Amino acid sequence: AAEEKEAARHADELLAEVEAEKRGKGKKKKKKGGGAGPSQEPEEGAEAPSEADAAEAAKKAEEARLLQLLATLTEERMRFGITAESQAAASAEVAEAVRLDAEADEAEEEADADEEEEAAAEAALAEVEVARAEARAARAEAKAALDKAQAALEGIETALEEAAAAADARRAAAAASRARAAAVRRAADAAQPHRDA
């Protein structure tokens, strides 16, 4: 199969060369401007036959070369068993290979794009995880501060209760002192008439 493809490629090259030679031959045929008038110099007329012979020789050589190229092309086709069908099949295989190669390139580009998107998604996920960890740390710090404030509040309430209890005790002691003082005064007042007598 590989030899047939190579032969088909070689045959295509030869055929292209033949076509190019034919096109080149057509371009070489240039029309000369107006015919020779009475004013044409004799020297130009004398050179015309030699130029015609040279052009004819060149034409024959070109035809011979084209025939040789065609013969070589035919021989190559026969040697490798190339037919129009096999050449068309080889061309179709080449076109299919080119198409598959283009599809492979496109798939590779899509894969690269998918990898870039996946990398971006992973980076975004990592950022989210970092933000989540920072939020958890901040929440833990806030809870610790709240617990500390709660403990301080409880301490203040205890101190207030102790202060209130101390105040009540002082008020009770003061009342007792006032009661004793009143009792002493009453006793003193009661003893006063006896001293007067």
Side-chain angles (χ1 to χ4, degrees):
E3 291 181 356
E4 289 184 359
K5 290 181 180 179
E6 181 64 22
R9 185 184 64 79
H10 185 56
D12 289 339
E13 291 177 354
L14 290 175
L15 184 59
E17 187 175 351
V18 170
E19 294 295 332
E21 291 292 340
K22 288 182 179 179
R23 289 195 296 270
K25 178 182 174 183
K27 291 180 179 179
K28 288 181 180 179
K29 293 181 179 180
K30 297 181 180 179
K31 295 182 179 180
K32 295 184 179 181
S39 61
Q40 186 176 6
E41 296 181 0
E43 289 79 9
E44 293 180 357
E47 292 178 357
S50 60
E51 291 179 356
D53 292 341
E56 184 66 22
K59 178 181 178 182
K60 289 182 179 180
E62 186 70 17
E63 290 177 352
R65 198 167 77 85
L66 291 174
L67 290 175
Q68 181 63 34
L69 285 174
L70 287 173
T72 302
L73 175 61
T74 303
E75 182 180 353
E76 291 288 330
R77 287 178 179 273
M78 293 177 63
R79 183 161 68 92
F80 290 101
I82 299 174
T83 62
E85 291 79 7
S86 64
Q87 187 172 357
S91 299
E93 290 180 1
V94 170
E96 180 66 12
V98 171
R99 185 184 67 79
L100 293 176
D101 186 61
E103 289 182 355
D105 291 340
E106 184 177 355
E108 185 176 357
E109 291 177 358
E110 291 179 355
D112 292 340
D114 291 340
E115 289 179 358
E116 292 177 357
E117 292 179 357
E118 183 178 358
E122 290 179 354
L125 180 60
E127 291 179 358
V128 170
E129 291 295 335
V130 171
R132 183 180 298 170
E134 291 177 351
R136 288 175 179 171
R139 184 171 59 189
E141 291 178 359
K143 186 177 183 301
L146 181 61
D147 292 342
K148 185 176 180 181
Q150 185 68 28
L153 181 60
E154 291 176 357
I156 292 172
E157 290 178 351
T158 301
L160 288 174
E161 290 175 358
E162 291 176 354
D168 290 341
R170 284 195 298 270
R171 283 195 298 271
S177 297
R178 285 195 297 272
R180 285 195 299 270
V184 171
R185 185 175 296 114
R186 284 194 299 271
D189 291 343
Q192 184 69 30
H194 297 288
R195 287 196 300 267
D196 294 338

